[in-house]
């Protein structure tokens, strides 16, 4: 199971990097600041990596998605505390959306596996 989590976290990191590069290019080309995208990138990344995790589990994918995103959010929270980032209601809303996206993603992943 640890191997599945590790693979999903690698996909998460890869998605974060690729999506951030795409948005950076869009910011450069169109000379606009896409601030809402800064919120959507982690949510899409967690959704995609949770789908991959959901394809690897046998049952109760929603719990696996919850564990997956909880571990990620704990790590992100520790990093934010170390760098003295202030927390607001927006931060907790984004965290909730990440949890929700991870649960939905893992449930989608297990259903994709069942159809194949």
């Amino acid at each position: 199971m640890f191997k599945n989590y590790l693979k999903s976290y690698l996909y998460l990191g890869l998605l974060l990097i690729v999506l951030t590069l795409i948005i950076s290019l869009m910011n450069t080309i169109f000379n606009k600041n896409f601030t809402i995208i800064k919120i959507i990138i982690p949510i899409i990344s967690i959704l995609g990596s949770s789908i991959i995790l959901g394809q690897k589990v046998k049952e109760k994918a929603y719990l696996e998605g919850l564990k997956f995103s909880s571990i990620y959010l704990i790590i992100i929270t520790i990093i934010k505390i170390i760098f003295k980032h202030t927390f607001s209601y927006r931060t907790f809303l984004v965290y909730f959306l990440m949890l929700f996206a991870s649960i939905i993603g893992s449930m989608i992943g297990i259903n994709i596996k069942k159809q194949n």
Side-chain angles (χ1 to χ4, degrees):
M1 184 50 90
F2 179 71
K3 188 169 128 180
N4 293 337
Y5 277 97
L6 188 60
K7 187 183 283 188
S8 294
Y9 282 120
L10 288 174
Y11 281 116
L12 175 66
L14 204 79
L15 279 170
L16 282 170
I17 291 170
V18 168
L19 290 174
T20 302
L21 286 174
I22 290 171
I23 296 304
S24 295
L25 285 173
M26 286 176 50
N27 283 340
T28 304
I29 292 170
F30 298 116
N31 201 16
K32 293 201 178 204
N33 191 3
F34 299 103
T35 55
I36 190 72
I37 302 297
K38 293 176 188 175
I39 297 170
I40 295 174
I41 287 175
I43 294 171
I44 291 173
S45 299
I46 252 196
L47 180 70
S49 57
S50 293
I51 289 173
I52 293 167
L53 178 67
Q55 291 175 344
K56 306 292 182 199
V57 298
K58 295 179 180 163
E59 59 185 25
K60 296 185 181 177
Y62 63 94
L63 287 177
E64 295 300 322
L66 184 65
K67 287 190 284 187
F68 177 74
S69 62
S70 296
I71 292 168
Y72 174 72
L73 292 177
I74 288 170
I75 292 169
I76 293 300
T77 303
I78 290 170
I79 291 171
K80 284 186 175 191
I81 289 171
I82 289 171
F83 289 107
K84 296 179 173 62
H85 184 271
T86 57
F87 291 94
S88 65
Y89 70 93
R90 182 178 170 189
T91 305
F92 292 110
L93 178 64
V94 172
Y95 282 6
F96 176 75
L97 290 173
M98 284 184 195
L99 281 170
F100 186 72
S102 180
I103 292 168
I104 296 298
S106 60
M107 290 178 3
I108 290 170
I110 200 167
N111 285 324
I112 288 172
K113 181 179 82 171
K114 286 181 181 179
Q115 289 177 357
N116 291 333

